[in-house]
Amino acid sequence: MGRLAAASLAGTAIEFFDFFVYGTAAALVLGPLFFPTFSPLAGTLAAFGTFAVGFLARPLGSVLFGHVGDRHGRRPVMFASLLLTGCATVAVGCVPSYATLGITAPVLLLVLRFLQGLGLGGEWGGAVLLTAEHAPERRRALWASFPQIGPAVGFLLANGVMLALSAALTDAQFRAWGWRVPFWAAGVLAAGGLLLRSSLAETPQFRELSEAGRRASAPLTEVARDHWRLVLLTAGALAVGYAVFYTVSTWALTYGTERLGVDRTVMLACVMAAVAVKGAATPFVAMLGDRHGRRPLCLAGCAASALWAFPMVGLLHTGRPSLMFLGFLGSLLAFITMFAVVAAYLPELYEPRVRCTGAAVGYNLAGVLGGALTPIAATALSEGGGSGPPWGVAAYLTVVALVSLGCFALLPETLPDAVRSEAPRTAPA
């Protein structure tokens, strides 16, 4: 289990490095480089529009790779998705700016961002299922949480490289070529991830399905026919997590640097510190999910997200690093209270024969609802609000959190009472 968890964590970290480095670049440089004829606000919105395309592609990727995972195994998904995302990310770093290619430049950016999202849409289902279906039932949330640490590691890698380049280079150098370096580095990381995953075994549950001849012939059709309500509920339930995370990790960077005049490195450092604490807390929160159930933690995380939205925006608006960090940390701890257990929760909600498709589609549809639109909506809501805090952003997050709370309330608990009473109180050695 340790080797499986490490390989899943490493793979998701690499894929989310690819995905997050684009979000940071969109917040900091892509607007003026690829949409120079737009006003500063319109350029930022256009850059976030290309960012959103990746989320729109993720459900399509979950359908494509979910079919592979349910028909041919979880293991092939982990290779194909990582290869696609890595190649697309390296290519983003090679696209000339608008000054060189004209309108072709942002079009290429859109296409490559779509391919990034397509690959990431398959990654989560493959990595999580490979871990969750190998894990013992009473420790499933704990072991399945390791792929969920990957996004935090990927974010820290992406922003750490951006922070180092931003500090070491002049603004002109960073805009000319410095922002491209993390995209080029993605190729090396992807090669390492493929090597690490080369020795992983297929899951016992999929092998049993294959041997019994019970694999789904058309997984998406079965999910749409028999589990459509579950897909919609899981998508709505998880939307708040995406909304919170991308408000903190993407929109806040733009708001802090452009509206508050906070130095770019200070903003990145505040967000990175909060994400680091969130990542470290993930397995410990997951252990609570093995003791008390998945649903109670998800409900608590939604409620905390709603209650903390206004304090977070107020703390951000101060422009003081310590207070901004506190605001970000509260939001991300509410986020991880939900997302530490969803890697076990979602697979348990779906039957094994369509699990890769159903869980991944629900998870990635939530990304469209909560992640794709949030930076755009938050940017629009924060404009024209005068000199006060952008309370419209807080109201938006509160509404999304309440909708997600209602969806979680309609989902069942999946951890049996007998397992809950025997769940471990400490992490395995």
Side-chain angles (χ1 to χ4, degrees):
M1 283 308 309
R3 184 167 58 86
L4 282 167
S8 295
L9 190 159
T12 53
I14 293 165
E15 292 232 27
F16 277 92
F17 169 88
D18 297 352
F19 204 71
F20 287 143
V21 79
Y22 191 100
T24 305
L28 299 178
V29 297
L30 294 187
L33 287 176
F34 287 88
F35 304 95
T37 60
F38 290 16
S39 68
L41 172 60
T44 299
L45 289 171
F48 281 150
T50 63
F51 175 76
V53 166
F55 285 97
L56 297 176
R58 285 174 64 170
L60 297 177
S62 63
V63 170
L64 172 64
F65 289 105
H67 181 88
V68 174
D70 286 325
R71 287 290 302 156
H72 306 289
R74 320 318 190 191
R75 190 171 175 270
V77 172
M78 298 180 70
F79 286 93
S81 61
L82 182 56
L83 183 62
L84 176 59
T85 306
C87 290
T89 305
V90 173
V92 169
C94 300
V95 176
S97 67
Y98 185 93
T100 302
L101 287 184
I103 192 64
T104 305
V107 170
L108 286 175
L109 209 59
L110 277 171
V111 171
L112 293 172
R113 180 61 175 172
F114 181 87
L115 293 176
Q116 265 194 329
L118 205 66
L120 193 66
E123 165 64 23
W124 188 85
V128 163
L129 289 190
L130 201 74
T131 308
E133 290 187 345
H134 274 98
E137 188 175 38
R138 67 191 186 95
R139 288 182 171 173
R140 183 171 294 139
L142 173 62
W143 286 117
S145 73
F146 281 88
Q148 294 296 81
I149 302 173
V153 175
F155 182 87
L156 292 173
L157 284 174
N159 287 276
V161 174
M162 283 289 193
L163 180 61
L165 290 167
S166 180
L169 302 175
T170 66
D171 189 64
Q173 290 172 326
F174 184 78
R175 289 176 180 273
W177 57 268
W179 68 272
R180 299 180 182 273
V181 173
F183 291 89
W184 298 334
V188 179
L189 293 175
L194 290 170
L195 182 63
L196 186 62
R197 289 180 165 185
S198 61
S199 61
L200 298 181
E202 188 53 76
T203 70
Q205 290 189 23
F206 182 78
R207 290 201 302 267
E208 290 175 7
L209 285 173
S210 297
E211 291 168 2
R214 293 190 292 110
R215 288 178 297 171
S217 58
L220 180 61
T221 301
E222 287 194 31
V223 168
R225 183 186 65 231
D226 302 329
H227 304 287
W228 62 269
R229 182 176 179 273
L230 183 57
V231 170
L232 294 179
L233 283 176
T234 53
L238 298 179
V240 63
Y242 283 96
V244 167
F245 189 86
Y246 287 101
T247 296
V248 170
S249 66
T250 302
W251 169 78
L253 289 177
T254 300
Y255 184 81
T257 55
E258 295 184 1
R259 290 289 301 276
L260 303 179
V262 180
D263 185 76
R264 181 168 56 211
T265 57
V266 173
M267 287 302 304
L268 284 172
C270 289
V271 175
M272 287 173 64
V275 171
V277 176
K278 185 239 358 169
T282 301
F284 298 100
V285 177
M287 288 164 55
L288 295 176
D290 279 328
R291 290 184 59 190
H292 304 294
R294 315 340 182 177
R295 188 168 169 269
L297 267 72
C298 292
L299 292 172
C302 283
S305 297
L307 293 172
W308 191 248
F310 280 88
M312 187 276 287
V313 169
L315 291 168
L316 167 64
H317 189 71
T318 67
R320 296 174 58 183
S322 59
L323 295 181
M324 290 192 298
F325 164 74
L326 180 62
F328 297 155
L329 180 61
S331 292
L332 293 183
L333 289 179
F335 159 83
I336 205 58
T337 303
M338 297 173 279
F339 272 57
V341 297
V342 297
Y345 193 22
L346 260 67
E348 289 170 345
L349 287 168
Y350 291 89
E351 57 181 308
R353 60 186 278 114
V354 295
R355 181 174 287 160
C356 196
T357 300
V361 169
Y363 186 86
N364 287 296
L365 275 178
V368 176
L369 298 175
L373 300 178
T374 292
I376 298 172
T379 300
L381 289 169
S382 61
E383 288 298 317
S387 59
W391 298 125
V393 177
Y396 171 82
L397 290 177
T398 302
V399 170
V400 176
L402 293 176
V403 171
S404 292
L405 184 68
C407 291
F408 271 124
L410 295 173
L411 290 172
E413 177 57 65
T414 57
L415 185 66
D417 291 338
V419 175
R420 199 178 314 181
S421 64
E422 298 173 359
R425 295 178 179 271
T426 59

